[in-house]
Amino acid sequence: MNRHPIKYFCLFVFFFLEISGCAYGPERMAKTEIFEPRYAETLDSLVPELMSEYLAPAVGVGIIEDGKIELVKVYGDNQKGHKAPQNTIFNVASITKPVVTAAILKLVAQGEWDLDEPLFHYWTDPDVANDPYAKLITTRHCLSHTTGFKNWRWDEDDGKLKFNFQPGTKFQYSGEGMEYLRHAVESKFNVGLEQIVQSLVFDPLKMKDATMGWLQEEDIARFAKWYDTRGNLHTTNYETKNINAADDMLLTVKDLLLFGNAVMHKKIVHGALYDEMVKPQSAINDKLNQGLGWVVYDQLSNGEYIINHDGGDPGVVTTMILFPKSKNGIVIFVNSDNGASITNNIVKNIVVNGMEVIEGLHWDTHIPKPIEMDDAHLEKYVGTYKTNRDFSIGFHIEGHSLYTDSSVFPKVKLFPMASDEFYPLPFELYFKFVETDGEMKVQLLSSSRDIEVEGVRTP
């Protein structure tokens, strides 16, 4: 699903999310109940069950309620066999982007940077130096994902950065755009972006464990290592060797709550610039828009709006959902490839209109109403399927439901919407089973119902 970064496949569609919401109407409203009563008790019973079900070692949850940080809790082991401290340090993946955005907008507010000045005045990537579009790209394009770049240059066949369309004309999520902006900022100020973020965001907000680099030796034991779809430790090197404006920021649950609360209270970005930040700058789909650094969603039935950003890398799934009118918010970190099922189940169970939030942020259409299906029917689809993408995906029954099993696709619970078609809650993807000449096949369909992957059940 390329409409925004919800990629959770290592080999093909490593779904991760990235999205948010928009600000209209009065700054304060009649009290809106965002969280279910006794949500803390619900979390204490729910989260351990989800961790067991989805093989996740650690889950961090933070709650902002009525403008105050009310809950910070980390469950499980940040490294298997090592109980996670409450100040566990997580890699938050693409949640790096809104934090960097805040620093950039602070520079704009101070008159040291301009949203619409062409970046070629300070830097041009060598790959696009001869492209006339390089003279057009601005900070606004980078922060609103309208640069024309793919997410990463290695997504191009030749591995080189190129414009897919004229900057400013449409949405296309791009980490490269954030990195392009970093190079321009560093060139003008002759200082690393990490120092700018430290001085303008981390230090003022007392985000004492937040860093864009790797950890000090004494802090490494607090780091949440990354685990795969089957609960095994990823072999990836965890150390952040290079500063990246789009990815790999390290911080604690409390650090991100401090940031989110400051955003909602307009302590970093305020006035007309805040309005610009949460204003739709580009359309992700018919109901979801991209602001500056945030995805914005303003169609909640309770009159609230959301600003949100998600993060996803191998072994990392994170989300931050803020409700600025009522000054409420939730942060969830999971150190597992299966984290999306956990984050969405938490939202579903403790946010009053949780399913509406999930649908608004992660679905182009509507979440189907599941139908009843007995185990005998589910058994028809059990087995391992070899796909045309050089990986296998299995389906098995747990507790009267069908679940996926794969080394590269996350474990998800599948809800039946027809006798031969299923969907997972976290993202709009459909699994359709087709039997032809006694051979069972599975198709993975995108939100547009295009076939993304096909598989044949092996004997």
Side-chain angles (χ1 to χ4, degrees):
M1 295 163 59
N2 293 320
R3 61 185 174 85
H4 51 277
I6 303 180
K7 295 185 177 179
Y8 286 116
F9 288 165
C10 294
L11 294 181
F12 136 73
V13 250
F14 202 173
F15 289 100
F16 58 94
L17 333 156
E18 253 116 273
I19 30 197
S20 30
C22 172
Y24 299 110
E27 190 54 34
R28 294 290 289 179
M29 57 190 292
K31 183 174 175 60
T32 300
E33 295 297 335
I34 298 297
F35 299 109
E36 296 284 358
R38 303 176 67 86
Y39 62 79
E41 290 89 339
T42 299
L43 287 169
D44 284 345
S45 61
L46 175 67
V47 173
E49 292 177 1
L50 292 173
M51 291 167 60
S52 176
E53 182 177 357
Y54 292 103
L55 311 175
V59 174
V61 185
I63 300 290
I64 300 168
E65 192 173 12
D66 297 329
K68 297 179 181 179
I69 295 174
E70 293 292 348
L71 181 142
V72 177
K73 191 149 190 184
V74 180
Y75 300 83
D77 294 350
N78 63 311
Q79 301 169 21
K80 280 192 176 177
H82 184 273
K83 183 174 173 55
Q86 295 308 296
N87 61 347
T88 291
I89 298 171
F90 290 83
N91 182 313
V92 295
S94 288
I95 291 181
T96 301
K97 294 179 179 72
V99 180
V100 168
T101 295
I104 298 298
L105 294 181
K106 187 69 173 177
L107 291 175
V108 173
Q110 294 172 173
E112 299 178 73
W113 194 251
D114 191 296
L115 273 174
D116 298 304
E117 181 183 11
L119 296 181
F120 82 89
H121 292 159
Y122 307 107
W123 190 77
T124 301
D125 190 287
D127 282 359
V128 297
N130 296 322
D131 192 314
Y133 284 167
K135 295 290 182 72
L136 302 179
I137 188 171
T138 68
T139 298
R140 187 185 299 274
H141 298 147
C142 297
L143 299 183
S144 62
H145 296 290
T146 57
T147 57
F149 300 140
K150 289 185 177 178
N151 193 18
W152 297 110
R153 66 186 70 205
W154 56 77
D155 294 326
E156 301 286 0
D157 291 339
D158 60 3
K160 292 185 178 181
L161 188 67
K162 56 173 57 72
F163 291 97
N164 298 148
F165 52 84
Q166 180 176 325
T169 57
K170 64 179 180 178
F171 173 87
Q172 180 167 276
Y173 188 85
S174 178
E176 288 286 358
M178 295 296 295
E179 277 288 86
Y180 203 103
L181 178 58
R182 176 178 69 83
H183 284 292
V185 168
E186 291 179 342
S187 179
K188 176 177 180 179
F189 294 104
N190 197 31
V191 65
L193 179 66
E194 70 276 17
Q195 294 172 259
I196 294 172
V197 174
Q198 185 77 43
S199 64
L200 296 181
V201 180
F202 295 163
D203 289 345
L205 299 183
K206 295 181 172 54
M207 297 168 63
K208 64 185 182 67
D209 285 313
T211 178
M212 294 187 72
W214 185 234
L215 303 171
Q216 299 295 320
E217 188 67 30
E218 61 270 22
D219 295 325
I220 293 175
R222 290 194 283 138
F223 180 70
K225 288 188 174 181
W226 310 333
Y227 291 82
D228 67 16
T229 61
R230 290 169 172 162
N232 300 313
L233 184 68
H234 270 292
T235 57
T236 311
N237 187 347
Y238 308 101
E239 295 188 18
T240 307
K241 296 186 180 299
N242 299 304
I243 301 303
N244 191 309
D247 199 14
D248 288 336
M249 185 174 288
L250 307 179
L251 42 69
T252 65
V253 171
K254 184 175 181 181
D255 286 330
L256 195 60
L257 291 175
L258 289 168
F259 172 75
N261 210 25
V263 168
M264 292 191 293
H265 282 92
K266 302 183 181 180
K267 290 184 178 179
I268 309 173
V269 182
H270 53 83
L273 197 55
Y274 177 92
D275 295 338
E276 197 70 24
M277 181 180 76
V278 300
K279 183 178 78 175
Q281 303 283 334
S282 57
I284 297 171
N285 57 39
D286 289 343
K287 61 184 178 181
L288 199 63
N289 293 290
Q290 178 68 42
L292 298 177
W294 300 86
V295 175
V296 295
Y297 182 66
D298 66 343
Q299 297 184 28
L300 289 177
S301 60
N302 64 4
E304 252 290 5
Y305 70 95
I306 292 172
I307 60 175
N308 152 267
H309 213 290
D310 299 324
D313 280 334
V316 176
V317 176
T318 59
T319 189
M320 174 170 56
I321 303 171
L322 302 178
F323 304 87
K325 283 185 180 179
S326 56
K327 303 292 188 293
N328 288 273
I330 181 169
V331 165
I332 311 170
F333 301 157
V334 188
N335 64 336
S336 166
D337 287 344
N338 298 330
S341 291
I342 295 175
T343 59
N344 282 275
N345 269 290
I346 290 173
V347 171
K348 174 184 173 182
N349 281 278
I350 73 165
V351 175
V352 169
N353 56 342
M355 287 293 284
E356 188 181 356
V357 171
I358 293 167
E359 181 179 276
L361 295 180
H362 303 321
W363 285 68
D364 287 353
T365 55
H366 295 290
I367 298 174
K369 184 177 180 179
I371 64 173
E372 295 292 329
M373 189 172 293
D374 59 32
D375 287 3
H377 191 91
L378 294 176
E379 283 285 355
K380 291 174 56 178
Y381 309 125
V382 169
T384 300
Y385 294 70
K386 178 67 176 177
T387 75
N388 59 346
R389 298 298 184 100
D390 295 324
F391 70 91
S392 294
I393 183 168
F395 299 89
H396 65 276
I397 298 173
E398 289 182 28
H400 310 294
S401 294
L402 204 60
Y403 284 78
T404 59
D405 175 59
S406 172
S407 62
V408 300
F409 189 85
K411 180 181 179 181
V412 290
K413 179 180 179 179
L414 298 180
F415 296 88
M417 57 185 289
S419 63
D420 59 354
E421 197 163 354
F422 300 76
Y423 67 91
L425 178 64
F427 33 78
E428 191 170 356
L429 183 74
Y430 305 95
F431 293 77
K432 184 176 180 63
F433 293 91
V434 180
E435 188 171 12
T436 307
D437 298 327
E439 186 176 60
M440 186 65 74
K441 299 180 180 179
V442 67
Q443 298 172 342
L444 276 66
L445 310 176
S446 68
S447 58
S448 60
R449 293 289 177 159
D450 294 327
I451 297 176
E452 298 288 347
V453 179
E454 291 185 285
V456 178
R457 185 161 62 188
T458 58

